[in-house]
Amino acid sequence: AVVSTQSTGKKMQRKKVLAQLGAAQQLLSKANVADKDHMETLVPFKKYNRNGVDLSIECLHYEQLDGETFETIYQILETNMKAEYDACYWGWNEKDKRDELKEKNPWFLVAKNSEGQIVAFAHFKFDFDEEVAVLYCYEVQVTEDMRGKGVGKFLMQILELIGSKAEMQKIMITVFKHNPRAIHFFSDILKYSDDETSPKFMDPIDEKEYCYEIMSKPLKIKKASGS
């Protein structure tokens, strides 16, 4: 029997995709161990002492959050973002946002001041995107009195380090088009660019129908010694 070159090529491509998915799944399973300390080797980043601010920062899986911490995180999110969601066709839905904070192996960076009050957090997940493993940052939120002090940038730098250490290919975020401050923060300060999965590329004809963009930044993979 004669096997066509085209058929052989498709089989090889399928094998390659399956191998990529398998490798990505292994990385995600390793990263999502609930009691894993993703900041174990990032000790200097557990403190933020700049611009008159003294904060302690820890990385926690959702299962490690107590009820009070979760509620504070939600309240900061609602205070900062409700108006942004209401300005979009998505709208704000409290139940949906609370569920999103809990679902699919969520992780959090939690920043507290010297009095133990939460003043900033990042909500992220290790996930698939186009057959590769990525760190997806769903939220980075800072209380109003802490803004302009470099806290949000510091949390995003920690996420990049965590993502690199976990061998994620890139870090991704979703940003509202009607939030120029957020777009400036990610594109100009943190050097993110429009991701290939953003509506402007995936649905260019109807791109204006979307109220958001997806942005990303490649990560330099840092394999842990002995792994």
Side-chain angles (χ1 to χ4, degrees):
V2 177
V3 179
S4 71
T5 304
Q6 186 177 11
S7 176
T8 303
K10 286 182 178 179
K11 287 181 180 178
M12 290 179 66
Q13 183 62 27
R14 279 199 297 272
K15 283 185 177 181
K16 182 179 179 182
V17 170
L18 288 172
Q20 288 176 333
L21 287 171
Q25 184 59 64
Q26 284 188 330
L27 291 174
L28 296 176
S29 297
K30 186 177 177 181
N32 277 318
V33 176
D35 60 352
K36 186 178 182 70
D37 183 3
H38 284 288
M39 294 187 69
E40 183 179 7
T41 60
L42 303 176
V43 176
F45 291 87
K46 292 185 177 183
K47 292 286 185 183
Y48 183 76
N49 303 104
R50 302 177 197 169
N51 304 319
V53 175
D54 180 13
L55 304 179
S56 60
I57 299 165
E58 56 184 340
C59 181
L60 300 169
H61 188 272
Y62 169 72
E63 293 179 3
Q64 297 171 304
L65 299 183
D66 58 42
E68 183 179 355
T69 298
F70 179 83
E71 189 60 30
T72 301
I73 284 172
Y74 173 78
Q75 292 300 331
I76 293 173
L77 175 60
E78 183 180 83
T79 298
N80 288 358
M81 295 301 295
K82 185 177 185 298
E84 297 289 341
Y85 275 81
D86 285 340
C88 170
Y89 57 81
W90 284 349
W92 181 265
N93 184 300
E94 179 174 343
K95 181 182 183 303
D96 287 350
K97 296 312 293 182
R98 286 181 178 274
D99 287 346
E100 187 179 278
L101 289 170
K102 302 174 185 178
E103 292 173 346
K104 299 179 181 177
N105 276 317
W107 291 84
F108 297 84
L109 290 181
V110 180
K112 297 180 180 179
N113 62 18
S114 54
E115 285 77 46
Q117 299 166 323
I118 297 173
V119 297
F121 76 90
H123 165 219
F124 67 101
K125 299 176 185 178
F126 300 99
D127 208 347
F128 279 114
D129 182 75
E130 300 292 305
E131 294 142 20
V132 299
V134 304
L135 187 155
Y136 207 115
C137 176
Y138 285 79
E139 304 287 349
V140 56
Q141 301 294 337
V142 181
T143 56
E144 189 172 0
D145 60 320
M146 285 288 146
R147 292 176 192 164
K149 302 179 185 295
V151 179
K153 181 180 179 182
F154 191 70
L155 292 184
M156 292 305 301
Q157 288 173 331
I158 294 174
L159 289 188
E160 288 183 26
L161 291 170
I162 289 175
S164 294
K165 187 166 164 284
E167 298 181 51
M168 301 293 109
Q169 294 290 320
K170 59 184 175 180
I171 182 169
M172 302 178 67
I173 59 99
T174 301
V175 61
F176 283 127
K177 291 179 179 178
H178 55 272
N179 189 339
R181 185 179 66 183
I183 292 173
H184 167 71
F185 175 67
F186 285 107
S187 63
D188 299 330
I189 297 177
L190 296 181
K191 306 305 180 186
Y192 281 60
S193 58
D194 294 324
D195 190 74
E196 61 187 3
T197 60
S198 197
K200 67 170 58 176
F201 301 124
M202 298 295 287
D203 191 10
I205 295 176
D206 295 320
E207 188 252 336
K208 291 183 178 179
E209 300 296 319
Y210 297 85
C211 62
Y212 66 93
E213 296 285 5
I214 298 173
M215 304 181 77
S216 65
K217 184 178 183 179
L219 293 175
K220 296 178 181 178
I221 294 176
K222 298 179 180 178
K223 295 187 178 182
S225 58
S227 63

